Amino acid sequence: MRAAVERGRKARRGAHVKLSDVAKKVGVSPITISRALRNPEIVSEDLRQTILRTADEMGYIPNLAARALADLHNGIIGVITPALHQHGFAGLMIGIEDCLRATEFRVQYSSTLHHADGEAGELRSFLTQKPAGVIIAGAESYRDLLPLIENATCPIAHITDLSQEPARLVVGLDHHAAGAEPTRFLLSRGYERIGFIGRGTDIRSRRRKEGYQAAMREAGRFDPDLAIGGNEGSSTGLGRELFARLLQRVPDIDAVFAQSDDLALGVLIECTARGIRVPEDVGICGFNDLEFSAFTQPTLTTVQIPRYEIGYRVADMLLRAVRDEPPGEDKVDCGFSIIPRGSTR
């Protein structure tokens, strides 16, 4: 109880504690405190620890709004993503934060939940706060974003399908190829009636579906009834439901290319429930190489996306732009890998 009261007192004091108060307590100038908080590497470790401890004890809270007025930016890197809640974003997020952790910048996230009409609003909201930079991690459309990007006073980097508009500060992959190559892989294993299961509403899924269709046409195996999707977010339950519906539509289906490992797991569970042998009767290929895919029975063949590398490289690219350093490359294709496992022949 006493600790809670003390924290409450500290919080109330923090609202009135100024930078100069912390400086006086430590016995250094306010500019030294400011530099230590913004660029900790420029002061000694002992002094930095003393400043941080004193600021914490006094309840000092930096005023980012005031800093933004005085400086070129507020020290924040904004990240706009369509799906902060999805498993696939975790690797990107860790890569971004690992790259920026030792810097003076902090990360702030915003999720559009795949609503394209909200992307421009989120970017506009970030830009009004004078961020150091922004990462747009998977925009659905650049139609409304491009005018804001062109007039932004900070660098903006992008994680995209490489067919999209941004020409610089871009890291991503070719999702059309990421749909075509796994389909060709399944064809090479002797599967012929290959279904496609996916959410299908965002640009990356649409590009992968187009790649799947192109590969099936090349092989003379294209059938529009083999593709099925839903508007809900990817889940194991949705995978079971979509595969059950696909079996009703195409009983002789012999493989499935699922647009997430969650969906692929649902297909595997539905096969087990129906006594369908995997990979003999039906082959399954997922997408994203989530951790569990290597531990199912049988293990899941999947498409591995270097999510950590993508996150790290886009953050590094943005950091170089913020510091007016050469970016190295303007557009980076991080590619993908097919991971063959037990769910395919």
Side-chain angles (χ1 to χ4, degrees), residues 3 6-7 15 43 65 68 75-76 162 185 222-223 263 272 278 281-282 284 292 294 302 337:
E6 181 59 30
R7 284 196 299 270
V43 300
I76 296 294
L162 295 181
F185 169 82
F222 178 73
D223 180 348
L263 292 172
T272 301
V278 178
D281 300 328
V282 170
I284 304 171
F292 69 77
T302 188
S337 303

Side-chain angles (χ1 to χ4, degrees), residues 196-202 228-234 238 241-242 245 263:
F196 180 95
I197 288 180
R199 187 173 181 270
T201 54
D202 64 272
I228 192 169
N231 293 324
E232 308 96 320
S234 293
L238 181 62
E241 176 191 334
L242 292 178
R245 286 164 51 191
L263 292 172

Side-chain angles (χ1 to χ4, degrees), residues 33-52:
I33 300 293
S34 178
R35 287 172 177 167
L37 294 175
R38 291 169 53 186
N39 301 290
E41 69 278 4
I42 67 175
V43 300
S44 69
E45 178 65 18
D46 288 345
L47 179 56
R48 184 173 73 88
Q49 291 299 330
T50 299
I51 289 172
L52 292 176

Side-chain angles (χ1 to χ4, degrees), residues 261 289-302 339 341-342:
D261 287 344
D289 193 25
L290 299 181
E291 183 182 11
F292 69 77
S293 65
F295 299 98
T296 57
Q297 186 58 42
T299 54
L300 281 173
T301 293
T302 188
I339 310 297
R341 294 197 181 108

Side-chain angles (χ1 to χ4, degrees), residues 297-319:
Q297 186 58 42
T299 54
L300 281 173
T301 293
T302 188
V303 179
Q304 182 187 73
I305 303 299
R307 296 184 299 276
Y308 178 90
E309 179 188 355
I310 291 172
Y312 195 98
R313 292 188 73 168
V314 77
D316 181 67
M317 190 180 281
L318 181 67
L319 188 60

